[in-house]
Amino acid sequence: LTGQDAVNIANGFNEALGVDGIIMTKMDGDSRGGAALSAKKVTSKPVKFMGMGEKLDALEPFHPERMASRILGMGDMLSLIEKAQETYDEEKAAKLEKKLRRNEFTLEDFLDQMGEVRNMGGLGKILDMLPGVNKKNVSEDDIDKGEKEFRQMEAIIRSMTLEERRNPALLNASRRKRIAQGAGQSVAKVNQLIKKYEDAKKLMKQFNNPNFMKKSRFRGLF
């Protein structure tokens, strides 16, 4: 009943005080914003901002066309792009591109990329803005599990020496055991992280291969 409460609150304030605009909070959850339509209808006042978190810096300008896309389950690619631009570091991106071209993607870079996801609001927010993703099929438990896995992977990488991060080939059994103890995780978790890193590196190497597009099923689309 949160949505109905929001409408009643907006209407109550408007009748008592005469408001100029509305701020919709708690928009970082799995709600799609139907209350925004109702609040606008009953008050005849525009929605000005959305609260996408618990702090003041989480207030964002309200864009009706983007909310319409979100309500229809079409995602919000413009907001996702804006979030990416806010965290975008041109110098770091250029360095990463050079590393990828030389197949030098390290665990240190892997850690940086996880940080970029966190800076964009985490997995839940990114999923909410992706078109074609039905969040009804992705439970809060699944998102929490993914966020927890991110934190575990960060802890594991931070338990490595700088040399180990930059040269994962050094990670023999004894080193992995030491890292697991330092991160408070099992050796199996360390092995899973290394596997995910290696898979990501292989995928990036594929995309960097000039013959990839010719051989792939995406040929002719670009």
Side-chain angles (χ1 to χ4, degrees), residues 116-215:
E116 294 294 334
V117 172
R118 190 179 298 281
N119 291 338
M120 289 174 64
L123 293 174
K125 185 160 186 180
I126 291 175
L127 284 174
D128 195 39
M129 292 185 284
L130 284 174
V133 176
N134 187 348
K135 284 201 71 179
K136 290 182 179 179
N137 297 330
V138 183
S139 68
E140 289 296 325
D141 287 341
D142 290 332
I143 294 173
D144 289 343
K145 185 178 178 181
E147 295 283 6
K148 181 180 178 181
E149 191 172 343
F150 257 47
R151 291 193 294 270
Q152 290 174 343
M153 290 193 293
E154 286 178 334
I156 291 169
I157 296 175
R158 293 186 191 281
S159 295
M160 299 176 185
T161 65
L162 189 59
E163 187 180 19
E164 288 168 341
R165 293 184 202 176
R166 293 179 176 176
N167 185 12
L170 296 173
L171 296 174
N172 56 26
S174 61
R175 287 176 184 257
R176 294 187 187 201
K177 184 177 180 180
R178 188 208 78 234
I179 291 165
Q181 290 174 339
Q185 301 296 326
S186 65
V187 174
K189 287 286 186 181
V190 177
N191 293 337
Q192 287 174 15
L193 166 67
I194 302 302
K195 177 69 167 56
K196 288 181 179 179
Y197 157 73
E198 290 173 347
D199 289 343
K201 190 174 180 179
K202 287 176 184 176
L203 184 61
M204 290 180 178
K205 186 178 180 181
Q206 273 188 315
F207 278 114
N208 197 39
N209 185 342
N211 294 320
F212 174 74
M213 295 306 294
K214 295 179 182 178
K215 296 177 181 178

Side-chain angles (χ1 to χ4, degrees), residues 88-127:
Y88 180 75
D89 186 317
E90 192 170 345
E91 186 177 345
K92 282 177 66 176
K95 288 181 179 178
L96 180 60
E97 183 183 1
K98 288 180 181 178
K99 284 188 172 184
L100 291 175
R101 290 187 183 280
R102 296 194 296 258
N103 196 30
E104 295 175 353
F105 185 72
T106 67
L107 280 165
E108 203 167 26
D109 300 316
F110 197 50
L111 180 64
D112 284 342
Q113 295 309 301
M114 285 191 283
E116 294 294 334
V117 172
R118 190 179 298 281
N119 291 338
M120 289 174 64
L123 293 174
K125 185 160 186 180
I126 291 175
L127 284 174

Side-chain angles (χ1 to χ4, degrees), residues 1-12 22 24-25 35-36 39 42-43:
L1 296 176
T2 301
Q4 185 59 49
D5 286 342
V7 175
N8 294 336
I9 290 167
N11 193 40
I22 301 167
M24 301 296 299
T25 59
V42 300
T43 64

